[in-house]
Amino acid sequence: MRRKILSIAAMALSILTVHAQDVQLHYDFGRNLYPDEEAGRQKVTMTVEQFKADQWGSWYYFVDIDLSRKFTEGAYTEISRELNLGKQSPFAAHVEYDGGLNRFGSFQQAALLGAAYNGHNADFSTTYSVQLMYKRFFKSYDYTSAYNSAQLTGVWSTTFAGGKCTFSGFIDFWRGEKADGHGQLVILSEPQLWYNVTDHLSFGSEVEVSNNFIYNTFNDKSFFVNPTVGAKWKF
């Protein structure tokens, strides 16, 4: 799982709040839906994410910790810094690092640099962002190679039903690279729907929709839909 939803909602709301943090716990049904293609997929993921705004812009990070009954399977993180391009401007410069470790070694690392356009509606109940970035993958372990890429990201969050429900998510498009060196379009989206029981506690679901993202050696299937059920605590 990858999260960047809190980031954009908080960026657009930065004039109202300067700090936000939450912890999420998700049970993943992917291995039940694809027992052959995703036989090794984790069933439980814990996510910690935090946003903090300052006078120049904002910091954001998340860590996804994948758990099994016997192991901590891995920890994947994204950390980013945005610098506002003017006090009232919706544009910001964006720099980001993606990477992490798993029990077999590491995830392939990447650095991103680009621009973001952040916005919101009149009452801040809906926020959105579009980011266009240069992306550099690094050779992180055997059978990977360093290469240049680009990424287009869209992020949204909207709260409705008197603040009781939140629909949020992101979609990424980037150029990946096949084992033979040829490029391919990778798509990853993770919409979430939450019911906010209190200001701190929410229950809901996330659906990971991807193409050319999941490593599958069983057959040539590249498109997957992996739903979860989860709980979230906001500090």
Side-chain angles (χ1 to χ4, degrees):
M1 290 180 200
R2 302 170 66 235
R3 305 278 193 303
K4 53 183 77 177
I5 300 161
L6 172 69
S7 158
I8 304 308
M11 285 178 205
L13 286 165
S14 60
I15 64 170
L16 299 180
T17 183
V18 296
H19 186 272
Q21 185 177 29
D22 70 54
V23 176
Q24 301 178 25
L25 190 66
H26 288 262
Y27 183 87
D28 193 298
F29 294 98
R31 199 162 69 182
N32 302 96
L33 296 174
Y34 310 101
D36 296 319
E37 296 90 344
E38 295 191 300
R41 186 178 178 90
Q42 84 291 336
K43 287 195 172 184
V44 177
T45 297
M46 181 175 70
T47 297
V48 179
E49 61 180 348
Q50 185 176 38
F51 166 87
K52 186 175 182 180
D54 54 42
Q55 59 181 323
W56 299 289
S58 61
W59 286 97
Y60 170 74
Y61 77 86
F62 75 82
V63 181
D64 275 348
I65 303 170
D66 295 329
L67 306 171
S68 68
R69 282 183 287 184
K70 295 183 178 180
F71 302 102
T72 297
E73 297 290 337
Y76 174 83
T77 185
E78 294 185 6
I79 181 169
S80 63
R81 172 66 175 172
E82 288 207 350
L83 296 172
N84 298 328
L85 301 179
K87 290 184 177 181
Q88 302 299 324
S89 174
F91 292 97
H94 184 105
V95 60
E96 181 177 323
Y97 164 80
D98 301 347
L101 300 173
N102 59 50
R103 66 186 180 94
F104 302 106
S106 68
F107 295 98
Q108 187 167 15
Q109 301 177 80
L112 298 90
L113 177 64
Y117 181 91
N118 303 317
H120 55 83
N121 64 355
D123 63 358
F124 292 89
S125 60
T126 297
T127 61
Y128 57 88
S129 177
V130 178
Q131 304 165 9
L132 181 61
M133 296 167 286
Y134 162 76
K135 189 172 189 177
R136 174 67 176 180
F137 284 95
F138 301 101
K139 180 177 174 61
S140 302
Y141 53 91
D142 291 342
Y143 311 112
T144 64
S145 60
Y147 63 95
N148 298 316
S149 180
Q151 180 168 307
L152 176 65
T153 293
V155 190
W156 71 90
S157 179
T158 185
T159 300
F160 57 97
K164 283 296 184 181
C165 297
T166 299
F167 176 58
S168 55
F170 72 86
I171 186 167
D172 287 337
F173 304 88
W174 74 86
R175 178 191 177 275
E177 197 168 271
K178 299 178 182 178
D180 60 8
H182 291 151
Q184 63 180 355
L185 176 63
V186 181
I187 303 173
L188 175 66
S189 183
E190 292 185 1
Q192 296 183 345
L193 182 62
W194 297 99
Y195 178 75
N196 305 313
V197 180
T198 70
D199 290 340
H200 299 286
L201 179 63
S202 302
F203 293 105
S205 176
E206 174 183 276
V207 181
E208 180 190 273
V209 182
S210 68
N211 193 54
N212 292 324
F213 175 70
I214 292 173
Y215 184 65
N216 172 25
T217 58
F218 184 78
N219 54 31
D220 59 358
K221 180 177 177 58
S222 62
F223 180 79
F224 292 88
V225 178
N226 293 299
T228 77
V229 61
K232 176 169 63 174
W233 181 267
K234 292 181 287 186
F235 293 93

